[in-house]
Amino acid sequence: MLKRNLTMLVDFYEMTMGDGFLQNGYQDKVAVFDMFFRKCPDDAGYAIFSGLEQLIEYIKDLHFTEKDIEYLRSKKIFSEEYLEYLRNFKFSCDIWAVPEGTPVFPNEPIITVKGSIIQAQFIETMILLSINHQSLITTKAVRIVTSAQGRPVMEFGSRRAQGYDGAIYGARASYIGGCCGTACAIADRDFNVTALGTMAHSWIQAFTSELDSFRAYAKKYPNACTLLVDTYNVLKSGVPNAITVFKELKSQGYSNFGIRIDSGDIAYLSKKARKMLDDAGLKEVKIVASNSLDEFIIKDLIEQGAKIDSFGVGERLVTSKSEPVFGGVYKLVAIEEDGKLSPKIKLSENATKITTPAFKMLYRLFDNETNKAIADVITLHDETIDSTKPYTIFHPVQTYKKKTLTDFTVKPLLVPIFKDGQCVYQSPNIEDIKQYCSNQLDLIWDEVKRFENPHEYYVDLSQELWNVKQELLNKHFKEITHYE
């Protein structure tokens, strides 16, 4: 891809606050920010963290050009001291994140940034942009791939994506979520996401007849011949003409054939087409279905006995049409006061928007008997969980419900990404991320992954962190009561 300097891809308030922090002597004040989300898309029981590699590449290349400086000067609101600060800008924060492909849950820190408040605030937009988009699409892809029950799913959404970056990174995110490939060729070139595709209806229309178009394609691609059979009539011309061509190819020693149905009653047409192919001695021919599919339609098709071997899913995957926003947020949780970090909390009349304060760590607890994840626990950053002692976790909403664990393993989820502004993390290749995602999903109970009324996974606060949060809540409640 052409190299782009995305340093200025910020919300303007990150610039205005930066100058304000500088003028108040805060340029060296250390702050801690967390990225988290409050709700899983599609009312699911989990989400998948994705987009970290692109965030890392952005941070590695943070620098302001003279064109950037002149633009900011033209606004006539920024001090020359601030413009000089940006001219000599060098990122120096620490960053922790969960690895790409990790199942994650609401209200837990999935990225933590610690360092100069100007810098930590400045990267807010790109953190949210990178992670929100790809986490949304990867989560949707996992749901769709799950619904296909082992049948391959291809990502076909480039032309319906929100812009070219939506298409490119949507293809990457879909592949991590389990898709077998993409129609987006540039995603293959840049990310090694396998490019797939055969023909459009225009290919069939361009020839004198449907049969001529099929023969021409088969001559060009005899080793992988998938024919689009719904341009005119699936059962009266499309499948019969495909049978003719497949028999001709078979007589020449070829055997890798398929048809694609892109319209109509796909369940009915696939069953009829399967019988026609089988009766013609072409049981090896695969049937591909496309046309505005999602996890619910695919689930219904399979339940109806549709004879489909693989699916091509486009707009409803690459845009996550059913819920096109991943609501990740980025909040300050601690700030340096008198040489040490002081926890900060954001209050709201909406209880779901009250934040969890302090510099934190995230752990996942696994049952040693089943190897399944039992719960996530958010702790203070320097806390540890001793798996040799019983540990009690509480239900995230119904706090009177609790479990005491005795035979379990603890795994820290947040890993170092940047130290003093230097990247200390080696991004895995996309195949490893995809396999990691699949492996981690296997560690989550099916009850959490079901589509309807998923079990609510436990995300608990350690006692120490809970105490810090309660102290701040009580403090601010007393202040509010005093002013009233």
Side-chain angles (χ1 to χ4, degrees), residues 118-184:
I118 297 179
Q119 296 189 14
Q121 182 73 71
F122 180 80
I123 60 175
E124 173 186 13
T125 297
M126 203 59 176
I127 285 178
L128 295 177
L129 170 61
S130 300
I131 304 305
N132 279 339
H133 173 240
Q134 291 198 53
S135 296
L136 177 72
I137 306 306
T138 300
T139 303
K140 190 67 170 178
V142 166
R143 289 169 59 83
I144 291 172
V145 169
T146 299
S147 73
Q149 298 180 24
R151 298 164 181 83
V153 174
M154 298 162 279
E155 186 276 312
F156 278 1
S158 298
R159 65 193 63 189
R160 301 286 172 78
Q162 277 95 349
Y164 42 80
D165 279 346
I168 296 166
Y169 295 120
R172 178 186 186 273
S174 298
Y175 193 68
I176 290 171
C179 288
C180 64
T182 178
C184 183

Side-chain angles (χ1 to χ4, degrees), residues 1 30 88 100 109 130 216-217 245 276 302 310 337 344 359 361 386 389 397 452-453 458 471 480:
M1 295 177 67
V30 173
N88 298 310
E100 281 198 90
S130 300
Y217 193 85
V245 172
M276 293 168 69
I302 292 173
S310 61
E337 293 178 348
K344 294 289 181 177
F359 184 24
M361 177 51 75
D386 186 351
K389 299 178 180 178
V397 177
E452 302 294 336
N453 299 315
Y458 279 54
E471 286 173 9
I480 293 169

Side-chain angles (χ1 to χ4, degrees), residues 212-241:
D212 287 341
S213 75
F214 285 179
R215 281 178 168 148
Y217 193 85
K219 182 178 180 181
K220 175 62 178 171
Y221 301 106
N223 288 303
C225 184
T226 298
L227 303 174
L228 184 58
V229 296
D230 73 325
T231 304
Y232 302 120
N233 187 290
V234 173
L235 301 179
K236 291 183 179 179
S237 68
V239 175
N241 284 329

